[in-house]
Amino acid sequence: MLDQLRKRLHAAARRLRRVERRELQDFRRWAEVTENLVHLSMLVFVPLAIVLVTTLANAVPRLSFLLFPPLAAGSYTLFVDPTSKYSDPKRFVAGLTIGAVCGLGALAVSNSYLSAPGGQFGVNALGAGLAVFATGVVTWPLDIEEPSSYSTALLALLVEPNQRAAFVASIFAASLLVAVLFVIWREQFYEQRATYLYESMSGDDHVLVPMRGDSAGQTAMLGARLAAAHEAGKVVLLDMVSDADAAATQQSLTRDTIQLDIRSENGSEPASTETRPIGDGGDPATATASPEQTDLEAEIDWLETHADRIETRTGVSCQVVVASDNGSPAKTTLQTAVETNCDLVVAPYESQHGALTPYLQRLFRSESDVVVHRSRSDRTRWKQVIVPVRTVSDVAHNMVDFATRLAGRSGRVAVATCIGSRGDRRRAEEMLADLIEPYEGAFETRVPRTDIQTFLSDTASQYDLVMIGASRDRSKASRFISPPTFERLEDVETDVAIVDRGRP
């Protein structure tokens, strides 16, 4: 009874951990979208800035509380668009301070030379207009226009004569404090957000390549070039054996040896174990290799040829594994990825009746990141890559990251979004700018007024590779009405890579 209760508690704890991991993963991918990250930062850092300023004001009674409205508005302007011209900390501090000085100057002039009556707050109407005019005249030629500076200019008209110097000092000190907080946030977090949030920037460098089909060699080279972008990258070449005898065999291989553990049908200990150097036929006088072993050695030699080529051309470490598919190649692939500590599966393209094979569909439904490569030639380098996207998302970030890895410093990456005949071009261009901003490399952005299929049919030949999303977030009804883009690119003669992020 206690054992059953303990098992149930352990099972409940495992389910709870899975839910927590899934929610954390979903939140992290939500935060990858720059717009979401910026608004989340505003909810955290703008109130924090006000807390710091309020603490300072409480500690120094001479600091004026009139500074809070323009300071809050200015802080919002800083954080809401960290790359705009109004998100310049120098402009922010100088603009608010000059606005306060201009307001006090206008107040002095109006009190001395203008006789227009004041309103219910005792503010001279002409003085208010003069304060705004003076602020515009001073900030314009100095190129320090700041929207909140007009607020400080008007608030200066309400300052008591004995608090005017303290008001200007308050504006300068508080705005400087907010500007320092903004600079720290922008340089240490916002500009480094790809490192902190984008998983592909630090992962997806241990690549498993199932060696299936005629283009397996080209796909393996693509996986190797993705892995080679990181110092800790490695490639594992997987071959699955479907022979009846080998299907009951668990095989553990390295580049130098092959170990065959032949188990009985009930899963008992190995009936025999043999370890032999790859490519070494052993002593001919004592060799008793079966036909199955000979076929297996041929498979290993084939893997070794590709592994040597990968290490020579890319310098990335390469291992080979031969495993039994047990009637489920997709399950074997995913299990091998876990056992070899691979976080990315790069598989050759396979189709059946115009759609992906069940094998690839199973990979796309897994928790692993997957890239499916459709090769149209013997190409093994991809320096010109185009990345069509619909919106900023975790998959879009993955595609741009993979494209920059393949293109390298000497290549070129084009990021495009199709807006049709009535789309908002400016909004699309801003979206693409946000998408590529965290990455280094040579980029171009394209916003064609056409559909994606027509665009790629006309332009794909100019590039070595089209990198496109798997559209896994679409419903079955949507897929039925409009098939995924990659299924409509059969006439495109350029290599295609279909990218999908795994879901926990």
Side-chain angles (χ1 to χ4, degrees), residues 201-274:
M201 296 291 287
S202 58
D204 286 339
D205 53 1
H206 292 180
V207 181
L208 176 70
V209 182
M211 302 295 284
R212 297 163 57 94
D214 297 334
S215 62
Q218 290 81 6
T219 300
M221 192 61 69
L222 184 138
R225 297 200 183 281
L226 290 175
H230 293 174
E231 293 183 0
K234 75 171 184 178
V235 178
V236 177
L237 305 183
L238 169 65
D239 189 29
M240 288 172 281
V241 180
S242 58
D243 179 81
D245 293 332
T249 303
Q250 181 182 6
Q251 303 163 356
S252 176
L253 305 176
T254 67
R255 289 296 309 278
D256 300 321
T257 62
I258 172 172
Q259 180 177 334
L260 304 181
D261 296 335
I262 304 176
R263 298 180 179 273
S264 62
E265 293 183 358
N266 61 6
S268 61
E269 290 301 313
S272 63
T273 301
E274 180 181 5

Side-chain angles (χ1 to χ4, degrees), residues 154-342:
L154 291 175
L155 287 175
L157 304 178
L158 302 176
V159 178
E160 297 293 334
N162 61 344
Q163 293 183 346
R164 291 172 184 173
F167 177 72
V168 175
S170 300
I171 289 291
F172 175 78
S175 60
L176 182 62
L177 182 62
V178 172
V180 170
L181 178 63
F182 171 74
V183 169
I184 294 174
W185 170 80
R186 186 174 64 180
E187 293 184 356
Q188 300 300 321
F189 180 73
Y190 179 78
E191 293 181 352
Q192 306 296 326
R193 63 190 184 278
T195 303
Y196 298 134
L197 296 176
Y198 303 171
E199 294 179 352
S200 63
M201 296 291 287
S202 58
D204 286 339
D205 53 1
H206 292 180
V207 181
L208 176 70
V209 182
M211 302 295 284
R212 297 163 57 94
D214 297 334
S215 62
Q218 290 81 6
T219 300
M221 192 61 69
L222 184 138
R225 297 200 183 281
L226 290 175
H230 293 174
E231 293 183 0
K234 75 171 184 178
V235 178
V236 177
L237 305 183
L238 169 65
D239 189 29
M240 288 172 281
V241 180
S242 58
D243 179 81
D245 293 332
T249 303
Q250 181 182 6
Q251 303 163 356
S252 176
L253 305 176
T254 67
R255 289 296 309 278
D256 300 321
T257 62
I258 172 172
Q259 180 177 334
L260 304 181
D261 296 335
I262 304 176
R263 298 180 179 273
S264 62
E265 293 183 358
N266 61 6
S268 61
E269 290 301 313
S272 63
T273 301
E274 180 181 5
T275 303
R276 301 175 57 185
I278 290 179
D280 184 357
D283 186 353
T286 60
T288 58
S290 66
E292 291 81 3
Q293 291 174 326
T294 303
D295 293 339
L296 184 59
E297 289 179 359
E299 294 286 342
I300 295 169
D301 289 339
W302 179 69
L303 289 175
E304 282 294 300
T305 300
H306 288 292
D308 291 339
R309 183 181 296 116
I310 286 172
E311 290 192 343
T312 301
R313 294 187 180 183
T314 67
V316 69
S317 173
C318 190
Q319 301 173 344
V320 294
V321 171
V322 176
S324 170
D325 63 17
N326 291 318
S328 178
K331 182 178 179 180
T332 300
T333 300
L334 297 173
Q335 183 177 353
T336 304
V338 173
E339 293 178 353
T340 56
N341 194 31
C342 290

Side-chain angles (χ1 to χ4, degrees), residues 382-387 399-416 432 436-446 463:
W382 299 267
K383 305 296 290 184
Q384 311 291 328
V385 185
I386 184 168
V387 184
M399 292 193 294
V400 175
D401 177 42
F402 290 161
T404 56
R405 294 193 203 182
L406 294 173
R409 296 183 178 180
S410 60
R412 175 174 59 100
V413 176
V415 184
L432 294 181
I436 66 176
E437 195 268 336
Y439 301 92
E440 298 180 356
F443 286 96
E444 67 170 314
T445 57
R446 307 186 64 168
Y463 299 90

